[in-house]
Amino acid sequence: MSHQLPEHPDWLWRTPDPKRSYDVVIVGAGGHGLATAYYLARNHGITNVAVLERGWLAGGNMARNTTIIRSNYLCEESAALYEHALKLWEVLPQELEYDFLFSQRGVLNLAHTLQDVREGTRRVNANRLGGVDAEWLDTDQVREFCPIVNTSPDVRYPVLGATLQPRAGIAKHDHVAWALARKADEYGVDLIQGCEVTGFLRDGDRVVGVRTSRGPISAGRVALAAAGHSSVLADLAGLRLPVQSHPLQALVSELLEPVHPTVVMSNHVHVYVSQAHKGELVMGAGVDSYNGYGQRGSFHQIEHQMAAALELFPIFARAHVLRTWGGIVDVTPDASPIIGPTPIENLYLNCGWGTGGFKATPSSGWVYAHTIATGEPHPLNAPFALERFTTGALIDEHGAAAVAH
Amino acid sequence: MLLIACPWCGERDELEFHYGGQAHVAYPADPEGLSDGEWGEYLFVRDNTKGPFAERWSHAAGCRRWFNVVRHTVTHEILAVQSNRPVAAGQPKPVIA
Ligand SMILES: Cc1cc2nc3c(=O)[nH]c(=O)nc-3n(C[C@H](O)[C@H](O)[C@H](O)COP(=O)(O)OP(=O)(O)OC[C@H]3O[C@@H](n4cnc5c(N)ncnc54)[C@H](O)[C@@H]3O)c2cc1C
Ligand SMILES: [Zn+2]
């Protein structure tokens, strides 16, 4: 696990001034915006593209997430979308010519109740039918796979088993963003930081560009990829979205020797833990219940997840917390993303990834680029249209989302 | 952690409360007359304000009553606590100063 980290980029992309007009303007230079720009160029030959970012490149949730990558979702639609991403993760380091330390160390989702066992075995079966790697481990097998988990029967919520996705894992999120940014830039995409979108240019029912803190920019198509701020932006276009923004936080410990061989998540006692390449334990739990845009979470969430972590991993008892931080995630009523056209011509929407969009970064970009380039959804994102909140064809992934919201 | 002043019990810590989302969302006055789009809107779409936001809380581990709070969603400052019931359809909503 003691990999050498890739060099910090110095500088991997240009910092151009915005042009007056582009074929496509993407709002938000998080992982999803950058992946979209990359695939617009690579898959569709569309390179007259700007990615506008109000802060700094990948400084939003992309910089704040706990980097877990897996595709063991329950519904066919989601498993297909996240599995497409996992397959892309497996080839991207080579394709982008940049090692972002994608480590397929596996993800365990622990079961602590009979209901958890039923949910887990059902999900394993659904995954295998859908071509996603998944296994059910009993308690002894959990101990074998991750010896530091407390599998004693004498705890309040004993470990009754776990799902394992062996191909799942983690990656260095900053490096993912920089790798995508560098390639998009090489294709000629303008990555423009410090440029906030403050409104839309309209021609009747059509969007024809954006207003920004650096002047108006006209665009053939405008694609939102603003994560927690999607509804703030959509409001500016007169569009109301079924998303709510919540603070979600994470924390890391001081650096430790390699002790934690995999990713462990527990929905029931509610904590998830992995060990970063450098050695920090990376932990997270659920969202704060209330809406919020302040990038910090409540202290009681930390207390709650620490209590769970200590019971599951008594070995961590003396680890010190080094840093906590928060991001703003956009949660939909069915815990699934929204990707597709909007009722406003030339305005496209990619949002609602909530607590779990990092793992989807490549496929989100892939299908969104397809949608923007052709005007029609890709088969993988067709079920994730905004209309599902009218038709009722929801994709209920609360169970497999693995973070309470 | 928020310190919330229950109108009946006084200031208590956030852990005693349950969050109820946007306040003043009235049940449709004429449910039969609603289109699918309007139903979807009523069921799934709520304001997601960045700034002062009127929302519902219940004092779940206390008096168990519901009330409204105006909270700034960036600073988390609680600007007002209102013990009034949800406003009926067609009635003016309280003004958020
Ligand atoms: C604590 C935490 C842990 C997480 N853990 C995981 C995990 O383990 N696995 C996983 O799969 N997912 C995880 N997630 C979720 C994941 O981070 C998000 O779903 C994903 O990053 C969202 O896509 P994005 O990267 O494009 O968003 P962001 O990186 O947030 O990008 C959106 C960008 O839009 C910009 N923007 C907003 N408004 C404007 C405007 N008006 N003008 C210009 N730019 C604007 C923002 O500044 C931001 O940079 C976690 C999130 C958090 C907060
Ligand atoms: Zn009370």
Side-chain angles (χ1 to χ4, degrees):
Chain A
M1 241 193 266
S2 55
H3 293 280
Q4 196 80 35
L5 290 182
E7 290 283 295
H8 191 283
D10 198 44
W11 280 107
L12 294 174
W13 55 85
R14 300 162 295 131
T15 48
D17 287 323
K19 293 193 284 188
R20 301 283 295 278
S21 134
Y22 291 92
D23 292 339
V24 178
V25 161
I26 298 169
V27 187
H32 291 209
L34 294 169
T36 304
Y38 168 66
Y39 286 119
L40 271 174
R42 178 192 178 275
N43 293 358
H44 304 279
I46 300 175
T47 56
N48 185 23
V49 174
V51 185
L52 309 182
E53 168 57 50
R54 66 182 185 137
W56 64 95
L57 189 133
N61 289 333
M62 188 62 174
R64 294 160 201 272
N65 76 83
T66 45
T67 81
I68 298 167
I69 295 170
R70 58 189 178 88
S71 62
N72 56 351
Y73 280 68
L74 177 66
C75 304
E76 278 169 28
E77 298 88 343
S78 335
L81 186 63
Y82 291 103
E83 178 60 17
H84 184 243
L86 189 46
K87 293 207 170 96
L88 292 171
W89 284 114
E90 286 169 335
V91 300
L92 265 181
Q94 218 180 348
E95 184 179 308
L96 298 174
E97 300 173 290
Y98 196 112
D99 181 14
F100 48 72
L101 303 185
F102 177 44
S103 159
Q104 291 176 289
R105 58 183 67 186
V107 168
L108 287 174
N109 289 88
L110 300 181
H112 302 273
T113 65
L114 194 55
Q115 177 57 28
D116 281 356
V117 171
R118 290 186 181 128
E119 189 280 327
T121 47
R122 179 184 177 208
R123 191 153 40 77
V124 164
N125 290 331
N127 287 161
R128 295 176 94 150
L129 285 170
V132 174
D133 62 318
E135 293 169 27
W136 176 256
L137 305 189
D138 63 23
T139 310
D140 289 340
Q141 290 168 314
V142 169
R143 188 187 313 118
E144 218 169 283
F145 194 76
C146 187
I148 58 170
V149 175
N150 180 7
T151 48
S152 157
D154 300 325
V155 293
R156 185 165 177 207
Y157 296 109
V159 174
L160 303 182
T163 66
L164 167 65
Q165 183 176 23
R167 285 164 60 243
I170 56 172
K172 281 296 287 179
H173 48 341
D174 295 335
H175 295 267
V176 171
W178 299 335
L180 287 165
R182 184 179 69 148
K183 277 290 173 200
D185 176 86
E186 269 175 29
Y187 277 117
V189 170
D190 283 356
L191 306 174
I192 299 163
Q193 308 181 63
C195 181
E196 179 167 8
V197 171
T198 55
F200 294 90
L201 304 173
R202 301 284 286 251
D203 177 5
D205 287 344
R206 288 184 309 144
V207 160
V208 294
V210 289
R211 283 180 221 290
T212 82
S213 54
R214 296 173 67 177
I217 301 174
S218 59
R221 288 181 175 172
V222 175
L224 306 186
H229 277 75
S230 297
S231 51
V232 175
L233 266 166
D235 268 349
L236 298 172
L239 185 65
R240 267 160 66 80
L241 299 181
V243 300
Q244 298 283 297
S245 296
H246 292 265
L248 176 67
Q249 62 185 326
L251 62 90
V252 294
S253 74
E254 62 198 315
L255 303 187
L256 300 173
E257 289 294 314
V259 286
H260 192 16
T262 184
V263 182
V264 173
M265 316 187 71
S266 167
N267 241 352
H268 193 77
V269 300
H270 220 155
V271 68
Y272 59 88
V273 189
S274 67
Q275 188 167 21
H277 296 84
K278 271 192 296 180
E280 310 96 315
L281 298 170
V282 183
M283 280 185 215
V287 299
D288 280 340
S289 66
Y290 48 77
N291 295 28
Y293 290 92
Q295 283 180 325
R296 62 176 178 272
S298 300
F299 189 71
H300 63 83
Q301 296 282 2
I302 297 178
E303 257 183 329
H304 179 79
Q305 83 194 54
M306 295 285 234
L310 284 192
E311 182 138 307
L312 279 178
F313 304 95
I315 189 180
F316 297 164
R318 298 176 71 90
H320 293 105
V321 171
L322 206 65
R323 207 154 56 82
T324 76
W325 67 89
I328 302 304
V329 298
D330 47 340
V331 177
T332 60
D334 60 357
S336 289
I338 304 168
I339 324 158
T342 68
I344 301 168
E345 206 181 322
N346 297 337
L347 182 66
Y348 293 82
L349 183 63
N350 182 329
C351 70
W353 293 94
T355 57
F358 174 69
K359 62 178 70 65
T361 301
S363 64
S364 168
W366 184 288
V367 301
Y368 200 28
H370 176 102
T371 307
I372 297 159
T374 65
E376 296 293 329
H378 185 281
L380 284 173
N381 68 309
F384 294 91
L386 191 54
E387 288 84 61
R388 74 178 187 274
F389 298 101
T390 301
T391 62
L394 303 183
I395 303 168
D396 186 354
E397 282 292 5
H398 280 280
V403 171
H405 38 60
Chain B
M1 185 123 44
L2 303 177
L3 186 62
I4 301 172
C6 169
W8 295 279
C9 310
E11 288 187 341
R12 300 296 176 87
D13 116 26
E14 176 191 336
L15 285 179
E16 292 189 13
F17 296 87
H18 177 81
Y19 186 60
Q22 185 184 350
H24 313 302
V25 179
Y27 190 79
D30 175 24
E32 317 253 306
L34 256 49
S35 67
D36 287 353
E38 286 163 337
W39 260 121
E41 174 94 8
Y42 168 68
L43 286 175
F44 300 123
V45 183
R46 296 289 180 269
D47 292 348
N48 190 19
T49 310
K50 185 175 185 178
F53 182 55
E55 62 193 13
R56 307 185 71 216
W57 288 85
S58 133
H59 192 185
C63 65
R64 303 195 54 78
R65 285 200 261 191
W66 284 94
F67 57 97
N68 297 333
V69 166
V70 179
R71 180 180 55 94
H72 196 290
T73 58
V74 181
T75 63
H76 298 310
E77 190 185 350
I78 291 179
L79 303 166
V81 176
Q82 304 154 339
S83 62
N84 55 321
R85 304 181 62 78
V87 177
Q91 296 296 304
K93 294 176 184 175
V95 179
I96 301 174

